[in-house]
Amino acid sequence: MESGRVRKQRQVLILFLLSGVAQAGWGLRRYFVMEETESGSFVADLAKDLELGMGELAARGARVASEDNEPRLQLDLQTGKLILNEKLDREQLCGPTEPCVMHFQVLLNKPLEVFRAELLVGDINDHSPEFSEREMILKILENSPPGTVFPLKKAQDLDVGNNNVQNYNIGCNSHFHISTIKRGDGRKYPELVLDKELDQEEQSEFRLTLTALDGGSPPRSGTTQIRVLVLDVNDNAPQFEQILYEVQVPENSPIGSLVVKVSARDLDAGANGQITYSLFYSSQEIGKTFELNSLSGEIRLIKMLDFETISSYELDIEASDGGGLSGKCSVSIKVLDVNDNSPELSISSFTSPIPENSPETEVALFRTRDRDSGENGRTVCSIQDDVPFTLKPSVENFYRLVTEGALDRETRAQYNITITVTDLGTPRLKTEHSIIILVSDVNDNTPAFTQMSYTLLVRENNQPALHIGSVSATDRDSGTNAQITYSLLPNQDPHLPLASLVSINADNGQLFALRALDFEALQAFEFRVGATDQGSPALSSQALVRVVVLDDNDNSPFVLYPMQNASAPCTELVPRAAEQGYLVTKVVAVDRDSGQNAWLSYQLLKATEPGMFGVWAHNGEVHTARLLSERDAARHRLVVLVKDNGQPLLSASVTLHVLLVDGFSQPYLPLPEVAPERAQGDSLTVYLVIALASVSSLFLFSVLVFVVVRLCRRSESAPLGVYSVPEGHFPGHLVDVSGTGTLSQSYQYEVCLKGDSESNEFRFLKPIFPNILRQDSGRKLEDIPTLQNNLGI
């Protein structure tokens, strides 16, 4: 035994008892039928005996099971009647055993009940008596006194009871008559009785006809001839040492084994003292099983014994001397049972598959038996330990295989159960029976997405009906319970037209964009998809899908300043005394794209005088490239190209007008591009301008002084000029500021002529704050007018 461990015991001891415990309210019922009754004949009304309705027998799955599993009886579930399924032969079923009883059970389910019953098979007189020999030779001494009895071999009749042999006769004879005796085994034997002294010289031989009669109606008979030989006097007949020999022989004794040795002696000498042995009466079965040595008296086996078929034999042995005298003895042989029969198991009902998640469920009902007796017939029934099933004893030798609890098909869909029945004999024999139990699926698993959320990347301007990605879900169930249908769940955002944006394939979860997406209008959107199985009830789950629209370079740069749609171009004023690097103006542009597609760079495409002006590539600032002189032309036209960094590269251009002046107070004549009629303004306006210039001269002078002082200070700190900007403020590569172009971090000043004035008006220095540009440059093109207002344009 194992210590420190409690093992789960699943063994049930089976005692095969000859009489079982009957169900409450139901005694052991006995029914009777005569042998050779036609098939389909009525035997009993079980519905009435069980006190059940007609429909209840069918509802409870009633059925009949016999001990040898032969379908000799049939139950009609509609009428509740028990009928014969075949003709019964009593002699084949029971042989000489009387009474002939066939045991059977009535099985009912829901709940399980077993009712025991017996069917007695009655004998009909369908066999005639038969003698084993057609002629019997009997030797009698002539000096035998009247009244001497001579045993004769009996006739054999397969019928039993009154249908067996009841009487013997030899007809009329003056020397002999027949006496019929009954022995302890109930059989009747004939004996020949001498009525008159014999004289060998007068008549040396008699021929008699022995007739055996049974008790049937009408009676049947069988005959044999008796030949009586009258012998001269032989004084001593052989005598056996024992009148009865009792021996026990194991059923597994090998062929040729010595069973017993009988011995007789004769006091005569010579031929009258020589003894030979013979079987006085030998049935067909005895003649096939035993062999008697006529000289030694040894009885040996010539056929294997079977306790379960015949448990005992009775032999009559005759010892005869040479003078014709004989003696008789009996040999009683009992066959000892050995454990030579393995246990038997028969399945009465079996259910597979069984639904998962069901509580304790009966899977199988079976019966066990062992044809051996005693300890050899006791059995132990068990199954393996690693399965969620258990054996429960029912009535008599029936057992139920039930589940211990709810099963889970997803954990294990099939079980191979081995039922082992072992007897308690020596050596122990066992029988194994395997059954396969399938677990059917119940829709108890929700579809599970492979991801709780999906992120799909889609480039804008896509083709309609483009496959943008897939979602996938699995279901641990099987069959229709695992068939998944995908769908788009209602969108919680009423402003998102989801139905016009994407669709989903209900069978495989593939997602499609229904129309072209625009990054500038919609950068990303989210929605939920559902996965629903086909079970009943249907189970579902959902996952989040986020679609991110990738930008394409589909927007050209847009110039905010200077405005290209103004009624008149804006002119930038540059003093001729400006140092190299003087800040003339700044080109401000934006791009509706994002990322690298919105990184802008600036390039001077055309100039009236190349080499005089330069444009910083990173921020669009226009600076003087050298010192100005009196020989330089007063008017200059610059074309600045603004391009992004996308693929393909997109660009826009802007035209700048620059006017070189000796000072900010120098009169400014209209540019050639201005129409002549605008130079002829209202005289009142001219007067107002002159007055304003006179009044403001002092202010202008003060401003110029302030500017000069600042320029001087800057020239001392910066070698490139007063308005030069340190290179350290700009990176060596393109810089994206809020995705809409670049702005300088220094202040800028604008001096330009008001183009819509018919007289000479000037705009004076006006600061433009970089923070305003930086904040407004990230807006969409719809906000350009507001941005222009902030810039003072």
Side-chain angles (χ1 to χ4, degrees):
M1 297 180 62
E2 299 183 6
S3 61
R5 180 181 177 188
V6 178
R7 300 186 61 188
K8 181 179 180 182
Q9 299 295 328
R10 294 170 179 247
Q11 298 182 340
V12 184
L13 183 64
I14 305 173
L15 297 179
F16 284 98
L17 302 178
L18 295 178
S19 61
V21 180
Q23 294 288 329
W26 171 276
L28 179 64
R29 295 296 179 97
R30 290 184 173 88
Y31 303 102
F32 180 82
V33 66
M34 295 298 294
E35 67 170 330
E36 304 299 332
T37 303
E38 292 294 329
S39 174
S41 299
F42 172 80
V43 176
D45 190 345
L46 289 183
K48 180 179 178 181
D49 294 342
L50 295 175
E51 298 180 357
L52 297 175
M54 297 297 179
E56 192 172 355
L57 283 175
R60 296 185 62 180
R63 56 191 180 278
V64 174
S66 61
E67 289 289 341
D68 54 3
N69 295 323
E70 293 293 335
R72 298 187 178 95
L73 299 175
Q74 180 180 352
L75 176 61
D76 189 341
L77 297 180
Q78 302 301 323
T79 62
K81 294 181 179 179
L82 183 66
I83 59 178
L84 286 177
N85 202 36
E86 61 182 30
K87 283 186 176 181
L88 300 181
D89 186 354
R90 193 208 67 81
E91 288 74 31
Q92 183 180 357
L93 288 176
C94 304
T97 304
E98 178 66 17
C100 181
V101 179
M102 188 175 71
H103 300 275
F104 67 94
Q105 297 86 24
V106 181
L107 307 181
L108 298 177
N109 295 326
K110 303 177 183 178
L112 174 66
E113 292 183 284
V114 180
F115 300 97
R116 297 174 58 248
E118 295 177 349
L119 179 63
L120 277 69
V121 181
D123 182 48
I124 63 174
N125 194 23
D126 56 346
H127 293 87
S128 299
E130 293 182 359
F131 288 94
S132 59
E133 299 177 359
R134 297 184 62 181
E135 181 181 67
M136 291 186 288
I137 299 177
L138 185 62
K139 297 178 180 180
I140 302 177
L141 293 175
E142 62 179 340
N143 62 348
S144 297
T148 305
V149 176
F150 303 94
L152 301 176
K153 296 180 180 179
K154 75 179 186 68
Q156 184 176 2
D157 194 330
L158 295 180
D159 295 322
V160 295
N162 287 332
N163 295 328
N164 205 323
V165 176
Q166 299 295 322
N167 195 17
Y168 296 90
N169 64 70
I170 56 171
C172 296
N173 186 278
S174 60
H175 288 83
F176 302 96
H177 76 272
I178 290 294
S179 173
T180 303
I181 63 172
K182 184 176 182 181
R183 292 187 179 179
D185 58 0
R187 299 175 182 178
K188 294 183 178 181
Y189 294 82
E191 292 181 339
L192 185 64
V193 180
L194 180 63
D195 293 331
K196 182 178 178 182
E197 291 183 355
L198 299 176
D199 186 356
Q200 195 271 342
E201 289 76 14
E202 179 182 345
Q203 186 175 355
S204 63
E205 181 178 330
F206 295 87
R207 288 189 173 270
L208 306 174
T209 301
L210 177 63
T211 302
L213 298 173
D214 62 23
S217 180
R220 290 173 175 264
S221 63
T223 62
T224 187
Q225 295 296 317
I226 303 176
R227 182 183 177 190
V228 178
L229 301 178
V230 181
L231 304 178
D232 284 336
V233 175
N234 185 12
D235 295 332
N236 297 287
Q239 292 184 352
F240 282 93
E241 295 179 355
Q242 297 177 227
I243 300 299
L244 176 63
Y245 290 84
E246 295 182 340
V247 294
Q248 295 179 343
V249 182
E251 63 174 326
N252 62 345
S253 298
I255 295 177
S257 299
L258 177 64
V259 178
V260 67
K261 180 179 180 180
V262 296
S263 178
R265 65 176 182 173
D266 193 320
L267 298 179
D268 294 326
N272 292 333
Q274 295 180 355
I275 299 176
T276 58
Y277 301 94
S278 63
L279 291 174
F280 181 73
Y281 167 75
S282 174
S283 66
Q284 186 176 6
E285 184 64 31
I286 291 176
K288 292 180 179 180
T289 307
F290 302 97
E291 179 185 45
L292 174 63
N293 189 307
S294 60
L295 297 179
S296 65
E298 293 180 346
I299 300 176
R300 294 184 180 272
L301 286 177
I302 58 175
K303 177 186 174 182
M304 293 297 297
L305 301 176
D306 186 3
F307 172 85
E308 289 71 34
T309 303
I310 300 178
S311 60
S312 63
Y313 296 88
E314 297 290 337
L315 282 71
D316 291 327
I317 308 299
E318 181 181 41
S320 302
D321 60 16
L325 299 181
S326 63
K328 297 179 178 62
C329 73
S330 297
V331 177
S332 177
I333 302 174
K334 290 186 177 181
V335 181
L336 298 180
D337 182 42
V338 296
N339 194 26
D340 59 343
N341 289 280
S342 298
E344 299 175 3
L345 184 148
S346 60
I347 301 293
S348 298
S349 67
F350 177 62
T351 303
S352 178
I354 55 177
E356 64 173 331
N357 301 332
S358 300
E360 181 179 301
T361 304
E362 179 181 308
V363 179
L365 174 67
F366 62 92
R367 180 183 61 188
T368 61
R369 72 168 181 171
D370 194 315
R371 296 180 182 271
D372 295 320
S373 62
E375 289 295 317
N376 297 331
R378 292 187 177 185
T379 59
V380 174
C381 187
S382 64
I383 61 175
Q384 63 264 41
D385 291 337
D386 58 345
V387 291
F389 296 88
T390 187
L391 287 177
K392 289 191 174 182
S394 183
V395 294
E396 297 191 10
N397 54 343
F398 283 90
Y399 288 84
R400 299 166 58 226
L401 178 65
V402 298
T403 60
E404 290 184 330
L407 303 179
D408 185 9
R409 189 203 66 84
E410 288 73 35
T411 301
R412 189 169 178 181
Q414 176 178 308
Y415 294 89
N416 191 344
I417 306 298
T418 301
I419 303 174
T420 303
V421 183
T422 307
D423 62 26
L424 301 181
T426 303
R428 295 195 174 191
L429 301 179
K430 69 178 181 179
T431 297
E432 292 184 348
H433 185 86
S434 296
I435 57 176
I436 297 178
I437 302 173
L438 302 178
V439 183
S440 61
D441 185 49
V442 173
N443 193 28
D444 58 347
N445 287 279
T446 302
F449 281 94
T450 56
Q451 301 174 218
M452 293 303 297
S453 62
Y454 297 82
T455 300
L456 308 180
L457 304 179
V458 184
R459 192 164 294 279
E460 66 172 329
N461 304 322
N462 58 281
Q463 293 292 331
L466 175 68
H467 177 222
I468 61 176
S470 302
V471 296
S472 178
T474 58
D475 196 315
R476 296 181 63 197
D477 295 320
S478 64
T480 56
N481 295 331
Q483 295 179 1
I484 298 176
T485 301
Y486 300 91
S487 61
L488 295 177
L489 299 181
N491 188 27
Q492 297 181 353
D493 185 0
H495 302 293
L496 181 64
L498 184 61
S500 63
L501 290 177
V502 294
S503 68
I504 189 170
N505 188 312
D507 296 326
N508 54 29
Q510 292 183 348
L511 292 167
F512 299 89
L514 297 179
R515 60 180 175 86
L517 302 178
D518 185 5
F519 172 82
E520 288 70 35
L522 184 63
Q523 285 80 30
F525 60 95
E526 295 180 349
F527 58 92
R528 289 190 173 273
V529 295
T532 306
D533 59 29
Q534 303 299 312
S536 179
L539 302 178
S540 62
S541 62
Q542 55 182 262
L544 178 67
V545 178
R546 176 178 174 83
V547 179
V548 177
V549 182
L550 301 178
D551 183 43
D552 266 348
N553 193 29
D554 57 347
N555 291 280
S556 300
F558 182 83
V559 179
L560 296 176
Y561 179 82
M563 293 184 61
Q564 300 301 294
N565 57 353
S567 57
C570 181
T571 302
E572 306 293 340
L573 298 182
V574 179
R576 289 184 181 274
E579 297 288 340
Q580 179 183 356
Y582 176 80
L583 176 62
V584 177
T585 185
K586 178 181 176 71
V587 178
V588 180
V590 294
D591 194 317
R592 294 183 63 193
D593 295 321
S594 67
Q596 184 173 323
N597 296 330
W599 293 354
L600 301 181
S601 61
Y602 302 84
Q603 177 184 351
L604 183 59
L605 188 62
K606 293 181 181 180
T608 303
E609 186 175 346
M612 180 178 292
F613 298 97
V615 178
W616 286 24
H618 302 302
N619 56 19
E621 293 182 353
V622 180
H623 294 264
T624 58
R626 61 176 175 82
L627 294 175
L628 305 179
S629 66
E630 295 296 334
R631 293 191 301 270
D632 293 328
R635 298 181 182 87
H636 294 268
R637 182 172 176 272
L638 307 178
V639 178
V640 178
L641 179 68
V642 183
K643 58 184 179 180
D644 59 25
N645 197 40
Q647 290 293 333
L649 185 144
L650 300 178
S651 63
S653 62
V654 62
T655 302
L656 301 177
H657 296 277
V658 180
L659 179 61
L660 301 182
V661 296
D662 293 330
F664 289 111
S665 61
Q666 177 184 350
Y668 174 67
L669 298 177
L671 291 174
E673 290 80 3
V674 180
E677 58 270 19
R678 290 194 176 184
Q680 300 173 2
D682 187 18
S683 59
L684 180 59
T685 303
V686 176
Y687 296 150
L688 290 175
V689 171
I690 296 173
L692 179 60
S694 301
V695 173
S696 302
S697 59
L698 181 60
F699 174 78
L700 181 58
F701 176 79
S702 301
V703 172
L704 290 174
V705 172
F706 176 78
V707 171
V708 171
V709 173
R710 291 295 299 258
L711 290 176
C712 291
R713 292 180 178 178
R714 184 170 295 183
S715 63
E716 293 174 359
S717 59
L720 296 178
V722 177
Y723 293 97
S724 63
V725 181
E727 288 292 329
H729 289 272
F730 301 94
H733 58 279
L734 296 177
V735 178
D736 178 19
V737 182
S738 303
T740 59
T742 57
L743 292 174
S744 173
Q745 298 181 1
S746 63
Y747 289 96
Q748 300 177 14
Y749 296 88
E750 179 187 64
V751 181
C752 58
L753 177 66
K754 185 174 183 183
D756 59 352
S757 175
E758 296 181 2
S759 62
N760 297 331
E761 274 188 9
F762 292 90
R763 282 188 180 174
F764 296 97
L765 292 173
K766 182 179 182 180
I768 300 176
F769 296 95
N771 291 335
I772 297 177
L773 289 176
R774 184 175 294 111
Q775 295 171 0
D776 292 342
S777 60
R779 302 186 180 181
K780 297 180 179 179
L781 290 181
E782 292 83 345
D783 299 333
I784 290 175
T786 304
L787 185 56
Q788 290 171 345
N789 291 335
N790 293 337
L791 296 173
I793 301 173

